[in-house]
C-alpha cells in the first residue's frame, strides 16, 4: 500500500481548519512571543498554556519589557503552567541574552536558537517556520507517532522523523504538518486507544502498532 500523503494531509487540513482548531499560539507571527509561548507549553496542556501566554504578553511583549518584570510577577502570571518557577528563570535568561547578543531580536537561525537553554529542535523549528516563514518541520510526539502509524516513515525518535520528513514530505506541507497532526493526535489518533472508527483518513493508514479504543455506539436520546 502506497501512502498518499498529499491526500491524507489535504483531508486532515480541511477537517481541522473547518473546525477552527488551530491554536492561537501557532498562529502567532511574532518570533519572540512564539518562542516564549513554546517554552511555556513544555509539559503543559494547551488549555493552560495559551491563557498563560496571553496574560504574560499583556505585561510584556518584548525582551526589553520582560526583563523589567519581577520574577515573582511572572511566576504568578504564568501559573499554573508546569515548572513555572524554572520557566520564569529561562524566560528572563533568554530575554537578557537576546538583548545582549541580538539587539533584542530572535535570531532566524537554527544553531543560534539551539544555544539557548531550554530550546530544542521542536521549538526552534516552530519559531523558524511560524515566526520567520523559513521552511522547517516541527516534529513533536504527535507528528512522530502519527507519521509512523500511517506507515509514511519508520523511525525511532522525533529527530529521525524530522530528517526523514525533510527528505520525503512535499514542501507545501512543511508549515502545516505540525498543526494538523497535533490536533489529529489530540482529537482522534491518540497515543493509546486511538479512535480509528472516527478517523477521516482511516482507509489510507497502515495502523502500524496502533492500539485502538473500543467503539461505543452513541446513545439515542
Amino acid at each position: 500500500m502506497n501512502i498518499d500523503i498529499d491526500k491524507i494531509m489535504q483531508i486532515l487540513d480541511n477537517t481541522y481548519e473547518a473546525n477552527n482548531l488551530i491554536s492561537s499560539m501557532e498562529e502567532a507571527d511574532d518570533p519572540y512571543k512564539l518562542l516564549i509561548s513554546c517554552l511555556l507549553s513544555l509539559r503543559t496542556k494547551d488549555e493552560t498554556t495559551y491563557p498563560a501566554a496571553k496574560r504574560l504578553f499583556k505585561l510584556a511583549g518584548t525582551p526589553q519589557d520582560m526583563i523589567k518584570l519581577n520574577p515573582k510577577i511572572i511566576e504568578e502570571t504564568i501559573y499554573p503552567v508546569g515548572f513555572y518557577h524554572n520557566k520564569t528563570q529561562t524566560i528572563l535568561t533568554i530575554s537578557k541574552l537576546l538583548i545582549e547578543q541580538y539587539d533584542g531580536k530572535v535570531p532566524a537561525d537554527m544553531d543560534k536558537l539551539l544555544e539557548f537553554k531550554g530550546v530544542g529542535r521542536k521549538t526552534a523549528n516552530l519559531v523558524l517556520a511560524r515566526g520567520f516563514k523559513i521552511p522547517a518541520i516541527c516534529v513533536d510526539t504527535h507528528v512522530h507517532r502519527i507519521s509512523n502509524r500511517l506507515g509514511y516513515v519508520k523511525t525511532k525518535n522525533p529527530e529521525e522523523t524530522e530528517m526523514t520528513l525533510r527528505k520525503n514530505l512535499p514542501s507545501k506541507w512543511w508549515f502545516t504538518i505540525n498543526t494538523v497532526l497535533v490536533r489529529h493526535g489530540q482529537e482522534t489518533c491518540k497515543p493509546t486507544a486511538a479512535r480509528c472508527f472516527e478517523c477521516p483518513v482511516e482507509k489510507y493508514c497502515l495502523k502500524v502498532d496502533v492500539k485502538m479504543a473500543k467503539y461505543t455506539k452513541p446513545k439515542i436520546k
Side-chain angles (χ1 to χ4, degrees):
M1 176 180 178
N2 293 323
I3 306 302
D4 190 344
I5 198 65
D6 274 311
K7 184 72 172 180
I8 290 169
M9 288 300 300
Q10 189 63 64
I11 292 172
L12 293 177
D13 190 34
N14 290 340
T15 299
Y16 296 113
E17 282 193 345
N19 287 299
N20 296 315
L21 290 172
I22 295 179
S23 70
S24 58
M25 184 188 82
E26 292 174 335
E27 289 180 323
D29 56 6
D30 182 301
Y32 177 70
K33 290 182 179 179
L34 187 56
L35 175 59
I36 299 304
S37 295
C38 286
L39 294 173
L40 292 175
S41 73
L42 299 175
R43 298 186 183 182
T44 303
K45 293 182 178 180
D46 293 352
E47 54 264 33
T48 300
T49 298
Y50 304 146
K54 288 181 180 179
R55 291 194 301 270
L56 181 60
F57 296 145
K58 284 183 179 180
L59 299 179
T62 66
Q64 292 84 351
D65 289 336
M66 192 68 73
I67 64 171
K68 295 177 183 178
L69 295 178
N70 185 294
K72 287 294 182 182
I73 296 297
I74 297 178
E75 290 180 3
E76 292 172 0
T77 301
I78 66 175
Y79 181 84
V81 300
F83 305 95
Y84 63 92
H85 176 74
N86 291 338
K87 288 179 181 179
T88 293
Q89 296 305 315
T90 299
I91 289 169
L92 288 172
T93 298
I94 289 178
S95 296
K96 290 177 182 177
L97 288 174
L98 288 174
I99 294 171
E100 294 170 358
Q101 299 180 13
Y102 301 103
D103 195 29
K105 298 179 180 178
V106 175
D109 180 273
M110 170 66 80
D111 291 334
K112 291 178 180 178
L113 287 169
L114 291 177
E115 290 177 358
F116 294 124
K117 182 180 178 181
V119 175
R121 292 192 66 86
K122 168 190 168 184
T123 294
N125 275 314
L126 187 56
V127 170
L128 292 174
R130 297 287 175 179
F132 295 103
K133 309 305 180 205
I134 294 173
I137 301 176
C138 177
V139 177
D140 64 356
T141 57
H142 291 292
V143 177
H144 171 62
R145 180 180 73 255
I146 296 172
S147 296
N148 275 276
R149 281 182 174 178
L150 287 168
Y152 190 60
V153 304
K154 188 177 181 180
T155 53
K156 296 179 180 178
N157 56 59
E159 187 167 345
E160 282 188 18
T161 299
E162 179 193 337
M163 298 309 164
T164 302
L165 290 175
R166 281 178 173 273
K167 293 178 182 178
N168 301 323
L169 184 69
S171 58
K172 66 181 179 179
W173 297 119
W174 281 32
F175 289 120
T176 310
I177 190 168
N178 182 262
T179 298
V180 169
L181 293 195
V182 166
R183 288 303 180 185
H184 187 50
Q186 292 171 336
E187 300 291 319
T188 306
C189 196
K190 299 184 179 184
T192 58
R195 302 179 66 80
C196 298
F197 48 84
E198 294 179 346
C199 180
V201 296
E202 185 271 339
K203 66 180 179 180
Y204 302 103
C205 180
L206 294 185
K207 302 184 184 68
V208 177
D209 295 326
V210 170
K211 294 180 181 179
M212 290 187 228
K214 292 182 179 179
Y215 175 73
T216 302
K217 187 174 183 180
K219 295 181 180 180
I220 299 176
K221 296 182 179 180

